[in-house]
Amino acid sequence: MFLPFRLLFKLWFALVFGSSMVLLYVPFRILLHKPSRYPAAFKLMKAWGHFLAWAGMVPLKVQREQPLPPPPYIVCINHASYLDIIHAFCLLPDYFLFMGKHELLEWPLFNIFFKDMHIAVNRGNGVEAARALMKAGMAVDQGSAVSIFPEGTISPDAPRMLPFKDGAFRLAVKKQVPVVPITFLDNWYLFGDPEKPLSWGRPGVARAVVHAPIPTAGLGAADVDALRQHVFEAIEAPLRKAYPEK
């Protein structure tokens, strides 16, 4: 019954995203040409994210348990939709780098962000994955926040999450920086997998919870498993409350 409306909404969002990406491509190319211009590129990304959230009819409503710590810190977000990237730019005020899947380098136009500024992770290649974590570590050393989807990919069973990988937590412990868990509650049904026409899709308010930072000062390699579980439980709690039947 609602399938035509889902398809219409997804077509509208694709039109908004694609047309705005084409218009902004040249400014982004100029700003991403030199690392000294990355902060300006980040500001443009934030403005674009806010535009997409409102023009795409998926505005964000944020609940913050505590203020964010000063950067650097590691952001861990549940991954259930492409909206997660857009909304991250809407709610995080500090300059940060995204770690995204290696396949993003193959996306037309959008790949410019992961060729230069942000970090593409090839999880199928141990050497390249380690190199990506080293690049993230260098960004932390320079005072930048780093945002990671610890599931590594979009969960096919959203809102239930996939098990978390260790990379984000090993990085946080190594650099002794806090972890900021974030839960996106509604993105999984506001905009499902665009490669599946029958997946969820509808306009609506996207709720997010920015959890209290979890410190890592004094933690070591032996504490990575406990830290990963702590972050998983923090992110999962609002999802279980909102969707107990899932």
Side-chain angles (χ1 to χ4, degrees):
M1 175 179 176
F2 295 103
L3 179 58
F5 298 100
R6 291 184 190 178
L7 294 175
L8 184 62
F9 168 70
K10 289 183 178 181
L11 287 172
W12 168 251
F13 193 93
L15 176 63
V16 170
F17 180 89
S19 59
S20 59
M21 178 75 252
V22 169
L23 289 173
L24 293 173
Y25 183 76
V26 171
F28 274 129
R29 287 287 295 181
I30 293 171
L31 293 175
L32 292 170
H33 184 64
K34 294 181 179 180
S36 61
R37 299 173 184 168
Y38 288 177
F42 177 77
K43 291 181 180 178
L44 183 56
M45 289 175 195
K46 284 183 65 65
W48 187 35
H50 284 286
F51 167 77
L52 290 173
W54 284 99
M57 298 183 288
V58 283
L60 189 63
K61 180 180 180 181
V62 184
Q63 173 190 338
R64 299 183 186 271
E65 294 182 350
Q66 288 185 17
L68 288 171
Y73 49 82
I74 306 298
V75 181
C76 288
I77 307 172
N78 64 308
H79 198 18
S81 169
Y82 290 151
L83 292 180
D84 303 333
I85 298 176
I86 294 169
H87 284 149
F89 282 99
C90 295
L91 62 81
L92 292 171
D94 299 310
Y95 178 89
F96 68 90
L97 298 183
F98 242 121
M99 295 190 74
K101 61 183 180 179
H102 188 262
E103 289 80 3
L104 292 171
L105 292 173
E106 301 172 2
W107 289 18
L109 302 180
F110 193 77
N111 59 7
I112 60 171
F113 302 115
F114 287 88
K115 284 182 177 179
D116 300 300
M117 180 178 170
H118 296 287
I119 304 169
V121 185
N122 185 354
R123 300 186 187 277
N125 185 306
V127 174
E128 292 186 14
R131 189 177 295 129
L133 276 175
M134 288 179 60
K135 185 175 180 181
M138 292 173 60
V140 171
D141 290 339
Q142 293 168 2
S144 297
V146 174
S147 180
I148 301 175
F149 296 121
E151 296 165 271
T153 188
I154 292 178
S155 172
D157 299 316
R160 297 280 73 82
M161 295 188 295
L162 295 170
F164 285 1
K165 301 181 184 301
D166 283 347
F169 312 104
R170 287 192 281 110
L171 178 63
V173 167
K174 181 179 180 180
K175 300 299 180 180
Q176 295 287 281
V177 296
V179 177
V180 177
I182 293 178
T183 305
F184 286 127
L185 287 163
D186 309 306
N187 287 353
W188 67 278
Y189 74 81
L190 291 177
F191 197 86
D193 188 343
E195 296 179 3
K196 299 177 181 178
L198 300 181
S199 65
W200 292 96
R202 49 158 286 188
V205 174
R207 297 171 294 166
V209 180
V210 181
H211 300 276
I214 298 173
T216 63
L219 300 184
D223 302 302
V224 167
D225 287 348
L227 176 62
R228 184 187 64 236
Q229 185 61 27
H230 187 175
V231 174
F232 186 96
E233 291 172 357
I235 296 174
E236 184 184 45
L239 292 170
R240 291 240 175 240
K241 183 178 179 180
Y243 307 106
E245 74 285 357
K246 294 292 185 179

